[in-house]
Amino acid sequence: MEFIQITSPDDYRVQVIYDSYASSFPEDERRDWYKFVRLFEHPQVKVLSVLNDCENIGYLVLWELENHTFVEHFEVFTEFRNQKLGSKITEYLTKNHPRIILEIEPGNLNENSQRRFSFYQKNGFHLIDEMYLQPSYGEGKNPLSLWLLSNYHPENLSQVKDEIYDVVYH
């Protein structure tokens, strides 16, 4: 498995990633095209294309924050799901980023959200805030009640959340 950082919105993979992103994540959980391509201008963002056997199978959008890495989006493309690739990607993440924070839909919302929560639990993550509010991604989009997970125990959760709000959603 390879993880290749995409450094320009002109890379041919960006449109493939955005198309999947736009169809997989609800409107309120994602950036529009213009805001997505602006991620490549931000020095704290890494957009990684995930390859398996030379085939693009998914992507990660990571934010290198002060004391942790925030995983804004993580997706294995539909045709590659249920092959344990998500666990391999998570293994890469935890090896290379020992302090990770991420958001998910509440695990009690539906069967898919419970499955996703179980996946992260099996891969070393635990719930650190079930009252977390994801800020709006912009005009016409709603803030969302989500769960915040991590693979470590943050000393100051309010400081972690403030940094996510100030850097990722600003």
Side-chain angles (χ1 to χ4, degrees):
M1 194 166 278
E2 291 180 80
F3 297 83
I4 299 172
Q5 184 174 353
I6 300 172
T7 58
S8 167
D10 298 327
D11 186 299
Y12 73 94
R13 291 170 286 215
V14 172
Q15 189 64 57
V16 173
I17 288 170
Y18 189 80
D19 289 347
S20 184
Y21 167 82
S23 66
S24 296
F25 291 95
E27 183 81 24
D28 288 335
E29 289 185 35
R30 61 182 161 86
R31 298 170 190 275
D32 60 26
W33 171 254
Y34 174 73
K35 287 183 178 183
F36 186 81
V37 296
R38 293 206 52 219
L39 289 173
F40 295 93
E41 300 169 11
H42 202 292
Q44 290 171 277
V45 176
K46 288 185 180 174
V47 177
L48 302 176
S49 174
V50 182
L51 303 177
N52 189 51
D53 295 331
C54 299
E55 200 164 16
N56 190 13
I57 62 153
Y59 63 90
L60 295 161
V61 178
L62 308 177
W63 289 79
E64 299 293 343
L65 301 179
E66 189 174 325
N67 293 309
H68 66 278
T69 299
F70 178 71
V71 179
E72 183 179 5
H73 287 96
F74 165 14
E75 182 181 8
V76 173
F77 296 141
T78 307
E79 61 270 27
F80 300 104
R81 292 182 186 158
N82 301 314
Q83 299 177 34
K84 307 276 186 224
L85 298 169
S87 292
K88 289 179 184 177
I89 294 168
T90 306
E91 184 180 320
Y92 161 85
L93 273 173
T94 55
K95 272 186 190 171
N96 292 280
H97 306 275
R99 298 163 62 96
I100 299 171
I101 304 282
L102 55 86
E103 307 159 333
I104 64 167
E105 292 176 320
N108 56 7
L109 199 60
N110 57 44
E111 189 178 322
N112 282 339
S113 63
Q114 178 57 52
R115 196 176 75 244
R116 197 171 296 117
F117 181 52
S118 295
F119 164 81
Y120 282 114
Q121 285 180 307
K122 286 184 232 170
N123 285 282
F125 288 83
H126 60 276
L127 181 63
I128 59 170
D129 189 350
E130 58 186 291
M131 303 300 289
Y132 175 77
L133 187 65
Q134 178 196 61
S136 167
Y137 269 111
E139 191 176 323
K141 298 190 183 203
N142 298 306
L144 297 168
S145 293
L146 299 176
W147 284 0
L148 210 56
L149 307 181
S150 73
N151 66 340
Y152 75 104
H153 297 283
E155 291 175 24
N156 187 336
L157 183 57
S158 63
Q159 184 178 1
V160 165
K161 289 173 17 177
D162 286 346
E163 186 179 18
I164 292 168
Y165 293 157
D166 292 344
V167 178
V168 176
Y169 295 103
H170 186 258

